[in-house]
Amino acid sequence: MLMSLNRRLSRSWCLMALCLLLVACGGKSGNSKSTQGSPPPGADDEPIAEEASFNTAQGFTVLREPQPRLPLDEPEREFTDADFAAGLPAVKITVPEGLDQSVNQPPYIDNLANVQVVAGEVLEVIYRPQDPEGDIPGMFPNKLPQGSEFADNFDGTKTFRWQPLQMDVGVLQFTVTAVDPVNSAYRSSHPIMIKVVMPKDPATIPNVAPMLDEVLPHTARAGDPVVFELKGIDLNGTIPTLELPDPPAGASFNPHPRFEEVFVLKFTPAEAGEISVPVLARDSVDTSLSSVQNINLTVLAADAFEVPGSALKTLGAARNVQMGFAALQSFYHRPDGGIYAATAVREYDIVTPENSMKMDYINPEPGRYQFAATDNLIAFAQANGMSVHAHPLVWYRQLPGWIESAALADLETHMREYIQRIMGRYADAVSVWDVINEPLESNGQFRDSNPDTGSIWYQAMGPAYIDKALTLARQLDPESSLLINEFDIGMAGAKFDGLMRLVDDLQAREIPLDGIGFQLHVFSSFDQFDELRANFAAVAERGLDIYITELDVALTEGGTPSQQALVYREIAAACLEQPRCRAIQTWGLTDQYSFRTHFDPLPFDRSYQPKSAYEALQSALEP
Ligand code: G3I
């Protein structure tokens, strides 16, 4: 199990002393001004045990954040009153390659304007798409606000109809795209800004029945516990209660300990079959108002998940390669958490947190930390003989607002403190660290001051941030492997060349580095296997290890499962041919939860059935 709390805290104090010493004397890699840092984790950041009725975990105790119940999330507002006042946003024309605009002008929608509407009133905007060449263009809304419609009038026009309520107060952008009648890739997108304001008398706003937030279809295994975190939604901005008119046998149904609008249903389906559970959402102001939606679950018999042949980790161990995956954050709070865990334990011996160790999640505000999800993943890994690949320490993305708005002069201190606090808590449990994540642009240059793709760490410290982070990481965890992790380096090109220049420079100055993470987010059309082998060899020649860290193979349009399988097989083979290749880790295990889910990129499908991609990995690994 994870280090006991006392040992961990005492280790943290020792590491903290080391880090304060390093910060004060600027570490070994140069002077750093010891400036204003942020408060360290405290006792009120320590996760507490979660009751079993809220999760599917077996074999370890799930922890949760101790913070009190949180109010309903304020809806995230992307636009402001100033955006509304700035006038009608520009039309965006998409012109397909090779199209001659002199003979085919873009479709268009005219007579549009920004509009203000009072909550509770019905807004109607008629859209009439036109095309200079005369035919009627196609038309679709990019994203409809909840409860609105885009109705066809069957006369070439459509009406956007919407009755905004309290939850909609603010400014939003609504975009409709017209599609050229001749070339569907030729389009014009027409945004308008809508400003919703409250009426003088809120009682004039109709009280609508609450509803249940969408629940995706899931497949579970008979005999496994199933957990649904069900969220009520009331567009009037109140929090509905949820009830089960016809609960499954033996079900528990409890309000979530932290999120007021969430209720947690747990039950264990004993038999295979299609299960449908009615859930009633009841208005908390007018209790006569309610609605019922069904949640559906496909339950398969346990033997439907048996996989022929040897497990990937067994085959990999015989070839001195670890087989791993990136774990969905809090998978034990999902309906299929049971089969998810069982598949992971059967197949893999190294695990990476997909999101729970990212700075914006684990340290969202100065002095506030969310360790529970990572603590739980490490407990799961240790209970099931898996190593842990920590990801990431220093990345230009997923930074909390307080870091993005910090003074550049303070960022070295923040970076050092963050590395010390995360490694101080997890060093004993982690064998590989993605210390530096994605430091380069596609041209092989450092991510620097580009407002969209630059790195504030670079802006604050120059390229030396890499030296400082790696040097501090080595001091804090001398036994683990320290990586630079990058994408789009699986083929010849400027980015890989830039990475090798970086490695050569670091090695010339004896900056600690143990390996390179090849993310390998590729497509089923990938065929640069010789270039991949050459890049592996270039890394190995520098005495560094190779980790395939985020492998997934997205099916391109027209791509086939057998092409996908071939790519998995060839990449695995390239790793197995290279003695310095230590692990093959996919970025997830089931298409159900992939960040590229629309491209079915992973070895298991949404029902945890092995795909030809899985069989290809098996066959590549077989002796
Ligand atoms: O957890 C919040 C949730 O509370 C909120 O309601 C929701 C909507 O705003 O967002 C949720 O956080 C999302 C998070 O994934 C967890 O689902 C973030 O918005 C979303 O940006 C984040 O995307 C992750 C992305 O990195 C950015 O961190 C992907 O899942 C993850 O697969 C992807 O992984 C990266 C590697 O870390 C680095 N290499 C590239 C790879 C793919 O981009």
Side-chain angles (χ1 to χ4, degrees), residues 54 62 98 102 166 178 225 228 241 254 260 283 306 316 354 373 411 414 416 493 514 525 543 560 603 605 620:
F54 294 109
V62 170
S102 65
Q166 288 92 329
F228 281 94
T241 54
N254 297 291
E260 288 191 58
D283 195 292
E306 287 166 10
E354 180 177 17
L411 282 177
H414 291 321
R416 288 179 175 278
D514 300 304
S525 53
T560 63
D605 70 14

Side-chain angles (χ1 to χ4, degrees), residues 354-355 358 391 395 397-398 438 519 550 587 595:
E354 180 177 17
N355 285 303
K358 289 169 180 174
H391 165 88
W395 192 20
R397 281 178 58 190
Q398 301 310 118
E438 304 172 7
Q519 292 185 14
E550 305 184 14
W587 201 244
F595 86 108

Side-chain angles (χ1 to χ4, degrees), residues 17 25 31 107 165 167 171 230-232 257 266 275 308 326 416 433 440 493 502 509 512 530 560 598 604:
C25 58
N31 288 322
L165 300 171
M167 286 281 274
V171 177
L230 300 173
K231 181 174 178 181
K266 180 175 181 178
I275 293 180
R416 288 179 175 278
W433 291 92
L440 302 180
L502 169 58
R509 292 183 292 110
D530 290 342
T560 63
H598 300 301
F604 290 90

Side-chain angles (χ1 to χ4, degrees), residues 73 76 231 259 326 328-329 334 352-356 358 360-361 391-392 395 397-398 434 437-438 485-487 519 521 549-550 552 587-588 593-596:
D73 270 347
E76 289 169 16
K231 181 174 178 181
F259 303 110
L328 172 74
Q329 183 167 322
R334 300 290 180 123
T352 301
E354 180 177 17
N355 285 303
S356 67
K358 289 169 180 174
D360 66 341
Y361 179 78
H391 165 88
W395 192 20
R397 281 178 58 190
Q398 301 310 118
D434 289 344
N437 200 44
E438 304 172 7
N485 185 45
E486 195 48 278
F487 66 90
Q519 292 185 14
H521 293 290
T549 50
E550 305 184 14
D552 51 24
W587 201 244
Y593 297 119
S594 166
F595 86 108
R596 304 169 88 184

Side-chain angles (χ1 to χ4, degrees), residues 72 165-167 206-212 231-241 261 281-286 289:
L72 190 63
L165 300 171
Q166 288 92 329
M167 286 281 274
N207 185 5
V208 296
M211 58 189 108
L212 189 64
K231 181 174 178 181
I233 294 180
D234 189 315
L235 295 177
N236 292 111
T238 58
I239 297 179
T241 54
E261 72 278 21
R282 186 178 301 284
D283 195 292
S284 56
V285 173
D286 174 356
L289 262 180

Side-chain angles (χ1 to χ4, degrees), residues 321-549:
V321 162
Q322 285 190 292
M323 298 304 290
F325 73 108
L328 172 74
Q329 183 167 322
S330 299
F331 60 82
Y332 33 81
H333 289 147
R334 300 290 180 123
D336 49 0
I339 188 59
Y340 185 98
T343 304
V345 169
R346 184 186 70 228
E347 297 294 338
Y348 302 107
D349 54 9
I350 186 169
V351 62
T352 301
E354 180 177 17
N355 285 303
S356 67
M357 287 184 92
K358 289 169 180 174
M359 196 176 189
D360 66 341
Y361 179 78
I362 214 167
N363 189 191
E365 290 149 20
R368 179 169 160 235
Y369 299 83
Q370 300 188 112
F371 293 129
T374 300
D375 286 6
N376 290 332
L377 183 63
I378 288 174
F380 169 73
Q382 294 182 338
N384 294 290
M386 294 179 193
S387 308
V388 176
H389 180 150
H391 165 88
L393 275 175
V394 182
W395 192 20
Y396 76 99
R397 281 178 58 190
Q398 301 310 118
L399 297 171
W402 71 275
I403 286 288
E404 289 178 327
S405 56
L408 287 181
D410 291 342
L411 282 177
E412 177 168 350
T413 298
H414 291 321
M415 182 184 82
R416 288 179 175 278
E417 286 181 340
Y418 182 74
I419 292 172
Q420 181 275 328
R421 290 161 183 170
I422 299 302
M423 298 189 91
R425 186 179 185 89
Y426 296 122
D428 275 6
V430 168
S431 55
V432 186
W433 291 92
D434 289 344
V435 178
I436 304 294
N437 200 44
E438 304 172 7
L440 302 180
E441 296 282 8
S442 52
N443 62 9
Q445 302 303 311
F446 287 113
R447 290 184 184 279
D448 51 19
S449 49
N450 179 305
D452 299 320
T453 62
S455 164
I456 57 171
W457 308 113
Y458 184 98
Q459 291 158 29
M461 296 170 259
Y465 84 89
I466 296 174
D467 311 20
K468 296 169 189 277
L470 287 166
T471 301
L472 179 56
R474 175 70 90 225
Q475 286 155 355
L476 294 169
D477 188 359
E479 296 90 46
S480 66
S481 289
L482 309 181
L483 308 188
I484 293 177
N485 185 45
E486 195 48 278
F487 66 90
D488 286 355
I489 56 171
M491 68 294 273
K495 189 167 192 178
F496 183 74
D497 296 345
L499 180 62
M500 292 300 98
R501 285 195 303 273
L502 169 58
V503 166
D504 292 342
D505 176 50
L506 292 170
Q507 291 185 325
R509 292 183 292 110
E510 297 182 352
I511 302 297
L513 177 67
D514 300 304
I516 297 297
F518 286 72
Q519 292 185 14
L520 297 185
H521 293 290
V522 299
F523 288 92
S524 51
S525 53
F526 182 81
D527 60 4
Q528 294 138 302
F529 305 113
D530 290 342
E531 295 176 18
L532 178 65
R533 287 182 175 86
N535 290 3
F536 282 178
V539 170
E541 281 157 17
R542 291 164 168 84
L544 296 176
D545 285 339
I546 292 144
Y547 285 77
I548 295 175
T549 50

